[in-house]
Amino acid sequence: MAIPDEQIFPHATGAAAETVQKHQQPQDVIFYAGWFCPFVQRTWIVLEERGIPYQYKEVNPYKKEKHFLDINPKGLVPAIEYKGNALYESMILCEFLEDAFPEAIPRLYPSDAFERAYARIWIDYIAKSIVPAFFRLLQGQTEEKRKTALDDFVKALGAFADKVKGPYFLGDQFSLVDACIAPWVVREYIVVEHRGHSRDLAGVNWKVYADLLEKRPSVLKTGSEHYTEIYGRYLRDEAQSEAAKATRSGGVIP
């Protein structure tokens, strides 16, 4: 008998499970998360990179507690409760953590105003070009749709990689740009195994960058096993997440 989706790996596994266990004590920052979610992982990476104390709370997407829905009516992870106030949306949370904890080192945005704006341009590019192409490729059910999505995904990755100053996107220092794209680097193997993708298709710059990024300690510590089992719903285009629904309808991923 098939196991219901809600019973498949309800908690983080692997290295991420160890990280979760280290963050169970009450803190000013309460991090509401879903271990499988790439949008969660980008915020989680920022918390780990900057060493900000936080309490991790897993949200069951099939049974959301009233308190979570009270602080975040959209019901989406990630969300943060900070000293009784709530915020949500992954990039807003990343920016908040940068602003609210100026003493935490390292900062993930450059100090120069122009460089910060430049970083935001490429973060926006990730959101509008790379992430949608990934989901279209993941959910494509015909050869024609998959080919179009694969071409778009490879092109988007290649254009991004051409701007990498090396070894990280802005140069020697890991930045918020790297944190934002890392979860899709981690999950790239799914479309390699199931959709005919290869890092080599996006060029040597992408392969070198992605190979380095997935080995970053903060990326490893927030990464779980069993993504393929969870993303099987996307591969069959049966997922009911907001990202999946937006991809299916041709809308903007929230």
Side-chain angles (χ1 to χ4, degrees):
M1 182 167 57
I3 300 173
D5 287 340
E6 63 266 31
Q7 294 180 18
I8 299 176
F9 311 112
H11 302 289
T13 55
E18 296 179 16
T19 304
V20 168
Q21 288 305 310
K22 294 175 182 176
H23 292 277
Q24 293 301 298
Q25 297 302 313
Q27 301 289 348
D28 285 343
V29 173
I30 303 173
F31 180 49
Y32 293 91
W35 66 266
F36 52 84
C37 176
F39 300 99
V40 164
Q41 191 180 11
R42 61 166 45 152
T43 305
W44 201 0
I45 288 169
V46 171
L47 285 164
E48 286 293 320
E49 280 287 335
R50 305 200 64 225
I52 296 169
Y54 65 94
Q55 180 183 12
Y56 182 102
K57 289 194 175 184
E58 186 76 32
V59 175
N60 183 335
Y62 299 93
K63 190 177 180 181
K64 296 167 184 172
E65 296 180 359
K66 181 179 183 301
H67 178 70
F68 176 68
L69 293 174
D70 286 343
I71 66 169
N72 180 6
K74 294 180 72 172
L76 301 177
V77 289
I80 279 177
E81 192 172 5
Y82 179 63
K83 297 182 178 180
N85 296 307
L87 293 169
Y88 41 90
E89 303 292 351
S90 63
M91 274 313 304
I92 291 173
L93 297 182
C94 291
E95 297 251 359
F96 166 75
L97 294 170
E98 188 77 359
D99 294 338
F101 297 89
E103 73 286 355
I105 302 298
R107 303 295 295 270
L108 297 186
Y109 264 144
S111 57
D112 179 77
F114 179 85
E115 288 297 318
R116 282 199 305 277
Y118 182 78
R120 288 187 175 107
I121 286 173
W122 286 98
I123 289 170
D124 185 66
Y125 178 86
I126 294 167
K128 292 179 179 177
S129 297
I130 293 177
V131 173
F134 174 84
F135 279 106
R136 288 197 303 272
L137 178 57
L138 198 63
Q139 293 177 229
Q141 298 301 298
T142 67
E143 287 300 319
E144 181 180 3
K145 287 185 176 180
R146 291 177 188 174
K147 182 181 185 307
T148 299
L150 179 58
D151 289 345
D152 290 345
F153 187 54
V154 167
K155 182 178 178 180
L157 295 180
F160 179 89
D162 284 345
K163 297 296 182 179
V164 173
K165 297 178 181 179
Y168 296 106
F169 188 80
L170 295 179
D172 292 335
Q173 300 300 314
F174 183 92
S175 75
L176 196 51
V177 183
D178 305 302
C180 285
I181 198 170
W184 282 271
V185 171
V186 170
R187 290 157 179 77
E188 191 179 9
Y189 79 91
I190 299 171
V191 291
V192 170
E193 294 179 356
H194 296 275
R195 291 294 187 258
H197 175 56
S198 166
R199 281 187 179 163
D200 292 327
L201 292 175
V204 65
N205 287 353
W206 172 253
K207 180 169 175 27
V208 170
Y209 172 77
D211 286 352
L212 172 72
L213 194 58
E214 69 182 358
K215 295 179 178 68
R216 181 82 178 179
S218 63
V219 176
L220 291 171
K221 288 194 294 184
T222 57
S224 276
E225 302 161 347
H226 309 298
Y227 286 128
T228 300
E229 290 88 339
I230 293 295
Y231 282 88
R233 292 171 291 180
Y234 291 81
L235 292 167
R236 299 187 298 272
D237 198 23
E238 297 172 354
Q240 295 302 314
S241 71
E242 294 304 312
K245 291 177 184 177
T247 300
R248 198 173 293 124
S249 67
V252 176
I253 294 176

